[in-house]
Amino acid sequence: VLTQSPGTLSLSPGERATLSCRASQSVSSSYLAWYQQKPAQPPRLLIYGASSRAAGIPERFSGSGSGTDFTLTITRLEPEDFAVYYCQLYGSSPLYTFGQGTKLEIE
Amino acid sequence: QVQLQESGPGLVKPSETLSLTCAVSGYSISRAYYWGWIRQPPGKGLEWIGSFYHNGDTDYNPSLKRRVTISVDTSKNQFSLKVTSVTATDTAVYYCVRLGAGWLYFEVWGRGTLVTVSS
């Protein structure tokens, strides 16, 4: 089970966002990914292997963590960064699970 | 650049079978990679449905396994999803996806198609 917090994060452009994803048991960092989803769009892969940025993802997005606690950090928020963010885990049953999402909204 | 496009009926009656197709362009699904389906009920989170490898291996979400079948048509470079005995809880946007290297995450997504289950 993946638990994301907070459910909603209200920040202003230019601020730093820190999103959390906690696994119910220790997992390999290789198995953790992050996605961004904007309204009426499919999710977009941001981070894989807990800390590797996907192709074309700006450097202001970074991932970290190990064991049960993982973090997605967005430094200096841009207007286009306000969206819903999901973490995703590979392994166990079912083979792929998603967190419930964190909505990043403009304050 | 690989692109995925879902197609199928937008409305399905309860107890009937939901059928969707994913057309793949820019890459031959018979070459490699895992491919699959994910769904998202309106206003809710993401749920993995199932995946298959180009050699025919398939994995399904245990919660759906009894009702789901993923099949492949390499001649048309497309794959399909069938969900039987649908109910209103199967109403969702359905995405076809390609998994990334190592089959640990979802690298390429289709735009998604909304399927509503209603009489």
Side-chain angles (χ1 to χ4, degrees):
Chain A
V1 175
L2 290 177
T3 303
Q4 293 187 240
S5 62
T8 301
L9 184 58
S10 300
L11 293 170
S12 299
E15 292 192 296
R16 178 188 185 95
T18 303
L19 287 67
S20 174
C21 177
R22 175 165 290 179
S24 56
Q25 59 188 48
S26 184
V27 300
S28 168
S29 59
S30 298
Y31 295 171
L32 198 287
W34 289 93
Y35 302 82
Q36 175 194 68
Q37 187 177 31
K38 297 179 181 179
Q41 294 186 19
R44 177 175 69 149
L45 176 68
L46 295 176
I47 301 286
Y48 63 92
S51 60
S52 297
R53 270 189 303 276
I57 301 303
E59 290 185 2
R60 65 180 181 275
F61 290 90
S62 64
S64 63
S66 63
T68 60
D69 293 306
F70 298 89
T71 300
L72 174 69
T73 301
I74 313 171
T75 58
R76 296 183 302 279
L77 283 166
E78 298 286 343
E80 62 266 27
D81 298 336
F82 292 91
V84 179
Y85 292 84
Y86 294 96
C87 57
Q88 172 252 312
L89 179 66
Y90 165 84
S92 191
S93 180
L95 208 50
Y96 303 93
T97 54
F98 292 88
Q100 81 278 21
T102 290
K103 182 179 181 180
L104 178 57
E105 64 176 23
I106 299 177
E107 187 172 37
Chain B
Q1 181 179 356
V2 61
Q3 293 185 315
L4 310 177
Q5 179 66 58
E6 306 88 350
S7 63
L11 181 63
V12 181
K13 290 182 168 56
S15 80
E16 295 190 344
T17 296
L18 178 161
S19 297
L20 296 174
T21 296
C22 179
V24 180
S25 59
Y27 192 88
S28 171
I29 59 176
S30 61
R31 282 181 56 190
Y33 284 99
Y34 267 91
W35 309 78
W37 292 92
I38 288 170
R39 71 180 184 179
Q40 184 173 36
K44 296 188 178 180
L46 300 159
E47 180 181 38
W48 170 71
I49 299 171
S51 303
F52 71 93
Y53 193 48
H54 71 97
N55 66 358
D57 291 345
T58 55
D59 292 292
Y60 296 115
N61 189 322
S63 69
L64 297 167
K65 186 175 183 177
R66 186 175 50 84
R67 299 191 295 126
V68 168
T69 302
I70 295 176
S71 58
V72 183
D73 186 342
T74 54
S75 67
K76 295 182 179 179
N77 210 38
Q78 63 186 33
F79 57 97
S80 299
L81 171 71
K82 290 188 186 300
V83 183
T84 61
S85 305
V86 298
T87 69
T89 59
D90 293 308
T91 294
V93 175
Y94 286 76
Y95 297 101
C96 56
V97 294
R98 189 185 82 173
L99 281 72
W103 327 134
L104 303 176
Y105 52 87
F106 305 100
E107 185 177 44
V108 183
W109 296 67
R111 295 195 60 80
T113 187
L114 174 63
V115 179
T116 301
V117 179
S118 175
S119 56

